Amino acid sequence: MPRAKYRSSDVDLMARMMRAEAEGEGKMGMLLVGNVIVNRVKANCLDFKGLRTIPQVIFQVQGGNYSFEAVQKGNVFYQAARSSERRLAKQTLDYWRNFPAKHALWYFNPHAPCPPTWYDQPFAGQYKQHCYYEPVECPGAYSW
């Protein structure tokens, strides 16, 4: 049973986002970004309450901006999904989870050392340039 329900179009969408957000961090970096996307679908708490699908997560708007910068800037995100990223997206949707994004709902590249909190949520770990943050209170993020 997959971690989240998905269609073929969701795999493409997620693959495009993983590449746009973390291509420079290699396969592991892209898998970690995919992990955060799936975690947001599963969490149903905090900023992600009511988001139940991959498109809802990827196109979520918060504070007048898309949650994922790549949707707004778009150069890589709006290119066709490649088979290598599709495989990574499917892997993350089906079963893959790993530190530091195992329970993370947020990540960003601060272009500096990772702050100890992000939106009052604790630092979970870092992979290359991205800092990952887990929720303090969100049973859905830890229940699967």
Side-chain angles (χ1 to χ4, degrees):
M1 176 189 244
R3 292 182 56 218
K5 291 182 181 179
Y6 64 89
R7 301 174 308 198
S8 178
S9 60
D10 297 334
V11 174
D12 284 344
L13 183 61
M14 194 160 141
R16 291 175 21 224
M17 180 56 68
M18 291 164 65
R19 177 179 174 204
E21 291 280 318
E23 181 176 33
E25 296 191 352
K27 289 180 182 179
M28 177 63 81
M30 288 187 280
L31 284 166
L32 293 169
V33 166
N35 205 140
V36 170
I37 293 168
V38 175
N39 289 349
R40 289 180 179 187
V41 170
K42 300 295 290 179
N44 201 26
C45 66
L46 304 166
D47 297 336
F48 314 108
K49 196 163 190 73
L51 301 180
R52 306 281 39 102
T53 68
I54 299 300
Q56 287 174 341
V57 167
I58 289 180
F59 293 110
Q60 180 188 25
V61 174
Q62 294 177 303
N65 293 307
Y66 287 103
S67 295
F68 291 100
E69 191 175 275
V71 176
Q72 219 153 294
K73 295 195 174 174
N75 52 354
V76 175
F77 176 67
Y78 290 102
Q79 294 176 8
R82 299 186 302 197
S83 61
S84 57
E85 284 89 21
R86 283 184 50 78
R87 280 192 299 276
L88 295 174
K90 189 161 177 9
Q91 184 177 341
T92 306
L93 285 159
D94 285 339
Y95 65 89
W96 193 89
R97 298 170 69 199
N98 205 351
F99 173 84
K102 186 171 186 175
H103 303 290
L105 295 178
W106 302 271
Y107 68 89
F108 81 112
N109 178 349
H111 303 286
C114 296
T117 62
W118 182 248
Y119 294 106
D120 298 322
Q121 307 304 313
F123 176 64
Q126 180 174 357
Y127 183 77
K128 295 191 178 182
Q129 300 300 312
H130 281 125
C131 305
Y132 292 85
Y133 296 84
E134 295 181 354
V136 173
E137 292 184 32
C138 179
Y142 299 98
S143 65
W144 65 93

